Amino acid sequence: MHAIDHTLHWQKSTFSDGGEGNTCVELAATPTALHLRESDTPDTELATTTAPLANLIRCVKSGLFPVATPR
């Protein structure tokens, strides 16, 4: 019997300025979920499915959420 590899294979967003360091959004996919995390807090991740994530992205792109401005 073979062991199943449960290691997530994280990919950095192409919009995360392409540099090294902790300024990246990372995504990993499994057969049942999408996992997201920030590279500066890799132990904290969000798991979701494609439909809610696609809806969130559509809402952000449409301007539904106001952009925060630095103080």
Side-chain angles (χ1 to χ4, degrees), residues 12-27:
K12 290 183 182 181
S13 167
T14 57
F15 292 99
S16 294
D17 82 18
E20 294 299 317
N22 296 333
T23 60
C24 300
V25 173
E26 299 174 326
L27 175 83

Side-chain angles (χ1 to χ4, degrees), residues 2-65:
H2 297 283
I4 298 173
D5 180 10
H6 292 286
T7 304
L8 294 176
H9 301 284
W10 294 97
Q11 295 181 317
K12 290 183 182 181
S13 167
T14 57
F15 292 99
S16 294
D17 82 18
E20 294 299 317
N22 296 333
T23 60
C24 300
V25 173
E26 299 174 326
L27 175 83
T30 65
T32 58
L34 297 172
H35 303 264
L36 295 103
R37 70 181 184 186
E38 290 188 46
S39 56
D40 62 343
T41 55
D43 293 332
T44 302
E45 68 182 64
L46 169 71
T48 188
T49 57
T50 55
L53 182 58
N55 189 44
L56 173 65
I57 292 169
R58 258 191 314 277
C59 289
V60 169
K61 285 183 171 183
S62 74
L64 183 63
F65 300 109

